[in-house]
Structures are given as C-alpha cells and as structure tokens.
C-alpha cells in the first residue's frame, strides 16, 4: 500500500489493514518463508518529528516457514513492533552520520508516498528466528541417503557406527 506522506496531520495518522496470504511472493528473495497461513494484520502510526517522519507499527501473521534441518514446511506465529525514522528530504542532506539512515529509508519512500509493503517485507525478514526449526529437536535429513529422520528410518547411521566400532 502507498501511504501519502504529504497530508500527515500534526498529531498522527493511524492506519490499520490486512494483507491476504497471496501478498507474499516467492520472488521476495527469502526462501525461509514459504508463504502465509493467515492474512497479515498490521497497523501504522505516522507522525512528524522535526525534519523526520516516524513510523511506528505492529504486525502479526502466521507464516509457513521452511525448516533449516529437514526442509519441511511448518507454521510459525510472528509478531513484531517496529519504529522507523524516515527523512523526507533524502537528497538534501550533506554526507554526515545520518546518511546511512537516510539511505536505508529510501527503499520505503516513493516520491511523497510511504511504501508499506517494503516495510512489512523487511520487518518479516528481520524478525524471523535465527534458525528456523520445525521442532526444537528436529532430527533433520540423513547426510548419507537424504531421508527425513523425523518420519523415516534408514540404516545409514547404524552402518556408520558399525564401521566406527571396528577400530
Ligand atoms: Zn525439521
Ligand atoms: Zn540414511
């Protein structure tokens, strides 16, 4: 959604909306997220702060994630608060310590509009677990035959152990 930043009231502008599961596209370059199980709900509160605009928000969604170990899809509830400072004058500033922050916010601004899709996409990726695991003790895939050790039994490991015992 594009949010017009030119008519932010001096107080604040609050917007809440939801995104249907088909909003998530696999070409978002985040292959840990397979898709959405539920619609994503979010709200944004936008208010001016000097030459900057502050965007506070919250989002929640049930995601389908890919397990790092066994590569199966599992459900994960993700919720996140965020606060972002945007400069409305990204090209005006001189090269100073704030340049980096302004560079980052450029992705979110398109003319006078805030691109909420970009913020949501970034927040989802930032708030993924460090390791995506279907269960804490996921056994993963057999490194030899590739079967899913959570649901299948193979004899690779026992064969390996037998060799080990030869010594
Ligand atoms: Zn797993
Ligand atoms: Zn195996």
């Amino acid at each position: 959604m594009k949010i017009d930043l030119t008519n932010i009231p001096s107080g604040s502008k609050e917007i809440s909306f939801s995104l249907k599961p088909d909003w998530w596209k696999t070409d978002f370059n985040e292959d840990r997220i397979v898709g959405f199980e539920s619609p994503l709900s979010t709200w944004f509160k936008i208010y001016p702060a000097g030459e900057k605009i502050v965007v506070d928000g919250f989002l929640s969604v049930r995601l389908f994630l890919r397990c790092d170990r066994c590569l199966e899809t599992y459900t994960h509830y993700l919720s996140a608060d965020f606060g972002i400072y945007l400069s409305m004058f990204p090209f005006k500033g001189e090269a100073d310590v704030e340049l980096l922050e302004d560079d980052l916010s450029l992705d979110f601004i398109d003319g006078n509009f805030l691109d909420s899709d970009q913020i949501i996409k970034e927040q989802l990726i930032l708030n993924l677990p460090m390791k995506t695991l279907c269960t804490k003790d996921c056994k993963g895939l057999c490194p030899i035959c590739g079967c899913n050790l959570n649901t299948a039994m193979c004899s690779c490991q026992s064969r390996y152990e037998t060799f080990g015992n030869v010594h």
Side-chain angles (χ1 to χ4, degrees):
M1 185 194 277
K2 302 271 199 260
I3 302 168
D4 190 348
L5 293 174
T6 55
N7 62 355
I8 302 293
S10 53
S12 67
K13 179 173 186 162
E14 291 190 43
I15 302 165
S16 59
F17 55 96
S18 67
L19 296 170
K20 287 194 212 132
D22 65 4
W23 176 83
W24 181 262
K25 299 284 183 282
T26 44
D27 62 3
F28 280 173
N29 283 327
E30 178 45 72
D31 59 9
R32 286 174 297 175
I33 299 179
V34 179
F36 289 2
E37 188 190 56
S38 71
L40 178 147
S41 349
T42 183
W43 62 260
F44 282 64
K45 180 179 176 184
I46 304 166
Y47 53 95
E51 288 212 329
K52 306 245 179 215
I53 286 183
V54 182
V55 182
D56 283 337
F58 173 79
L59 64 84
S60 71
V61 61
R62 289 183 72 82
L63 296 172
F64 289 124
L65 296 184
R66 189 179 324 280
C67 175
D68 277 339
R69 281 189 201 150
C70 70
L71 310 179
E72 291 295 322
T73 297
Y74 69 100
T75 303
H76 174 78
Y77 173 73
L78 185 152
S79 67
D81 289 307
F82 52 89
I84 298 163
Y85 287 87
L86 301 174
S87 169
M88 275 303 277
F89 311 100
F91 300 109
K92 198 188 82 178
E94 283 139 40
D96 58 21
V97 285
E98 287 190 313
L99 189 61
L100 182 64
E101 184 185 78
D102 290 345
D103 275 351
L104 291 173
S105 69
L106 284 181
D107 283 348
F108 303 139
I109 294 184
D110 179 5
N112 289 321
F113 292 87
L114 177 67
D115 187 347
S116 63
D117 286 8
Q118 288 298 328
I119 293 180
I120 290 167
K121 184 181 145 189
E122 184 182 280
Q123 287 301 317
L124 285 173
I125 293 170
L126 279 175
N127 287 286
L128 285 178
M130 289 288 279
K131 263 205 150 307
T132 55
L133 292 178
C134 61
T135 57
K136 227 186 277 172
D137 53 359
C138 171
K139 297 191 187 82
L141 301 178
C142 169
I144 298 157
C145 73
C147 79
N148 183 343
L149 296 172
N150 300 302
T151 54
M153 293 268 273
C154 65
S155 51
C156 303
Q157 194 63 27
S158 60
R159 221 177 290 149
Y160 175 79
E161 277 162 12
T162 309
F163 287 135
N165 289 340
V166 170
H167 297 284

